[in-house]
Amino acid sequence: MAPQKGKTGTRGQKQILEENSATLKFYRNMIIAVSAIYVVFNLVFENVLSLTSIFIYALIIASHAGSYQFMSYMANAKYTESGQLLDSGTDLNMEGGLAEHTKDLIILTSGCQLLSMISNYFWFLWLLAPGRAFWILWKNFLGPYLAQKSADEPPEISEKKQKKLERRQKRQQNVRH
């Protein structure tokens, strides 16, 4: 199929609702599958009662549960009293949206979970999440705020324009005298 040119078509509320439901189901199944594999592996091969294992698994549960509940809240549909769809909620598949970052966190956590079965050093990959959050914060808020010019500062003028202004000021002074 050839790629479409121009503006992409808009999707209806019903289609967004169906896609949100499918997205939530996919990430729920991913979380359950990865967590089941992780728990079974740790029961068979490692000491699951160590304080470190319990702490890390509590962080995993908090990350997965928080991310999934946040996406579920965003996709919460609103209906009228007669049962008609009023609002399908936020589109979870929208590019550049907050749901995209939440899905990335679920994927990162799941990847760390699976890779940690090879070595516990893979948990350091989880530090990519705050790093990415800082990068997004810098790119969208801090960088533009710190880079903007103060209203008190005059705008920078090129050397050519500066010489032209000086010549004009000299001519005006010579005409006055």
Side-chain angles (χ1 to χ4, degrees), residues 2-3 5-6 18-19 47 65 75 95 103 117 125 128 132-135 177:
K5 292 184 179 180
E18 292 169 359
E19 289 176 358
N47 181 11
E95 287 186 30
K103 291 187 287 188
M117 292 185 285
L125 289 175
L128 292 173
R132 172 135 185 220
F134 178 75
W135 173 250
H177 293 341

Side-chain angles (χ1 to χ4, degrees), residues 83-147:
Q84 284 185 320
L85 181 63
L86 186 63
D87 180 28
S88 63
T90 304
D91 185 7
L92 296 178
N93 298 314
M94 179 174 47
E95 287 186 30
L98 193 56
E100 183 177 339
H101 303 301
T102 308
K103 291 187 287 188
D104 289 344
L105 181 62
I106 291 173
I107 292 168
L108 177 66
T109 304
S110 299
C112 289
Q113 223 175 331
L114 288 176
L115 289 171
S116 73
M117 292 185 285
I118 298 169
S119 171
N120 281 332
Y121 289 110
F122 282 110
W123 283 117
F124 287 115
L125 289 175
W126 222 2
L127 294 174
L128 292 173
R132 172 135 185 220
F134 178 75
W135 173 250
I136 292 169
L137 184 69
W138 179 265
K139 186 174 71 172
N140 294 325
F141 300 106
L142 297 177
Y145 176 75
L146 296 174

Side-chain angles (χ1 to χ4, degrees), residues 18-33:
E18 292 169 359
E19 289 176 358
N20 283 351
S21 176
T23 300
L24 286 171
K25 183 178 177 184
F26 172 78
Y27 283 98
R28 181 196 65 216
N29 291 342
M30 180 197 306
I31 289 168
I32 291 170

Side-chain angles (χ1 to χ4, degrees), residues 5-60:
K5 292 184 179 180
K7 191 173 156 183
T8 57
T10 56
R11 300 183 335 230
Q13 296 287 326
K14 206 170 201 176
Q15 184 180 2
I16 291 172
L17 182 66
E18 292 169 359
E19 289 176 358
N20 283 351
S21 176
T23 300
L24 286 171
K25 183 178 177 184
F26 172 78
Y27 283 98
R28 181 196 65 216
N29 291 342
M30 180 197 306
I31 289 168
I32 291 170
V34 168
S35 294
I37 292 168
Y38 181 78
V39 167
V40 168
F41 181 83
N42 279 330
L43 284 173
V44 172
F45 293 110
E46 291 188 15
N47 181 11
V48 292
L49 297 178
S50 71
L51 189 58
T52 306
S53 295
I54 293 170
F55 178 71
I56 288 177
Y57 197 64
L59 288 176
I60 292 169

Side-chain angles (χ1 to χ4, degrees), residues 20 24 65-77 92 102:
N20 283 351
L24 286 171
S67 298
Y68 183 80
Q69 287 299 318
F70 181 67
M71 284 194 340
S72 179
Y73 175 75
M74 287 175 62
N76 193 13
L92 296 178
T102 308

